[in-house]
Amino acid sequence: MINRDNLIKDINGVIGLDLLEKALQKDELANGVQVLGGENVKKVTLGVSLNEEFLKLAVKSGSNFCIFHHGYDVRTYKSRLPLTSQKRLKLIFKNEITVMGFHYALDAHPTIGNNAMIIKKLGAKIKEPFWDEWGYTATFEKLQDVHDLAHKCEEIFDHDIFVVDGGPHKVKTIGVVSGGAKPYAEHIAEMEAKGVELFITGEANESSPHKMQESGINYFVCGHYATEKFGVQELGKKIKSHFKNNVGVEFIDIENPI
């Protein structure tokens, strides 16, 4: 068992105070503590998105400290709390759960963030910030076959990959932005300026495939949820490394094909 506030301090140290400060400027979603729960923590549970199913499993596992990439979404319509919000809040307050969310911070983090981890798993090296600093460009030491990279992404994400063959068959420079990074005109212009030959993300809109193909850029759509597991999992490893057997740490995987 460990003290809640010491755990929060450690987590903020791992993320970095400078990055948390930047997140306050760039992101309207949570990047830090949202709800303070019990003062003592036996187990930390981590997930991509806060939802009722996750919270029930966390409580069942004995956890009262939950960390998410997508934390509790406080946005409402006309200040009305819908049923989904009421169910989640009831579980949080009844079980005295501490809730932390790290949206921008776990996309942009240069070593444990979603995009940094995807780049690492692909065997590339980070080059420079990309997409208003939500992601990164990266380069391979040697040219990589696009279809080989598609198969590698299927393994990394455990998800079907929607592939648009828009650019060269062998690539060196990629752009990676996890989650819902649908490319619009300004993003395609940035890719062209930075020499991106393959763009990897989680979601697409109807117009994206043709625009990317016509722009001469390869395009992989790999799943919003599937591309955003890595940051919170790496954060869990950091917590476990620091506190050892004094606290349990578990990633709860709530399947989501989107």
Side-chain angles (χ1 to χ4, degrees):
M1 184 180 295
I2 59 176
N3 176 266
R4 176 200 66 201
D5 294 339
N6 288 340
L7 175 57
I8 291 170
K9 183 178 179 181
D10 183 75
I11 292 166
N12 287 339
V14 171
I15 298 297
L17 298 181
D18 289 345
L19 184 56
L20 290 173
E21 183 63 33
K22 182 182 284 189
L24 289 175
Q25 308 302 318
K26 298 181 76 71
D27 191 7
E28 65 175 352
L29 299 183
N31 287 276
V33 177
Q34 293 189 276
V35 179
L36 282 174
E39 291 185 5
N40 297 311
V41 180
K42 290 183 179 179
K43 185 173 184 179
V44 177
T45 42
L46 307 101
V48 176
S49 300
L50 187 154
N51 53 57
E52 184 185 22
E53 183 180 359
F54 181 101
L55 292 171
K56 285 181 175 179
L57 289 172
V59 170
K60 188 176 180 179
S61 77
S63 171
N64 69 339
F65 198 109
C66 300
I67 307 172
F68 304 94
H69 178 50
H70 305 127
Y72 180 75
D73 191 345
V74 300
R75 294 172 295 186
T76 63
Y77 174 71
K78 303 293 185 181
S79 299
R80 172 186 175 273
L81 284 176
L83 187 58
T84 179
S85 295
Q86 294 176 48
K87 287 181 175 179
R88 296 172 184 187
L89 287 172
K90 183 177 180 180
L91 283 164
I92 291 167
F93 291 123
K94 180 181 179 181
N95 296 284
E96 297 186 50
I97 298 172
T98 294
V99 175
M100 297 188 82
F102 293 101
H103 187 229
Y104 172 79
L106 279 180
D107 278 334
H109 198 286
T111 57
I112 69 165
N114 294 313
N115 298 301
M117 289 305 301
I118 291 168
I119 289 166
K120 182 179 179 181
K121 287 175 182 290
L122 286 170
K125 291 186 178 181
I126 287 177
K127 185 178 179 184
E128 60 184 323
F130 176 54
W131 205 282
D132 194 28
E133 300 184 329
W134 284 81
Y136 292 97
T137 63
T139 55
F140 294 101
E141 188 175 338
K142 298 179 181 179
L143 289 171
Q144 300 290 311
D145 184 274
V146 170
H147 294 103
D148 289 343
L149 287 174
H151 290 307
K152 195 167 186 177
C153 283
E154 285 182 341
E155 294 176 358
I156 291 170
F157 300 121
D158 191 22
H159 194 278
D160 291 336
I161 309 300
F162 176 67
V163 175
V164 175
D165 289 314
H169 295 306
K170 292 187 180 292
V171 301
K172 186 167 186 178
T173 301
I174 62 174
V176 182
V177 186
S178 65
K182 306 175 186 71
Y184 293 100
E186 64 269 29
H187 307 120
I188 295 174
E190 183 181 9
M191 291 182 214
E192 292 173 346
K194 293 182 174 178
V196 171
E197 299 160 308
L198 166 63
F199 176 50
I200 299 172
T201 188
E203 288 188 25
N205 53 23
E206 189 276 336
S207 64
S208 297
H210 286 288
K211 287 181 179 178
M212 295 295 286
Q213 190 172 48
E214 291 160 17
S215 298
I217 302 169
N218 296 295
Y219 181 35
F220 292 177
V221 182
C222 308
H224 192 138
Y225 179 90
T227 58
E228 298 200 314
K229 293 181 181 181
F230 308 107
V232 76
Q233 288 177 328
E234 289 301 306
L235 179 57
K237 291 176 184 177
K238 294 288 186 181
I239 294 169
K240 189 64 180 176
S241 175
H242 186 272
F243 291 101
K244 310 297 182 184
N245 294 326
N246 294 314
V247 67
V249 178
E250 180 185 359
F251 174 75
I252 297 179
D253 193 2
I254 306 294
E255 263 191 70
N256 186 338
I258 303 303

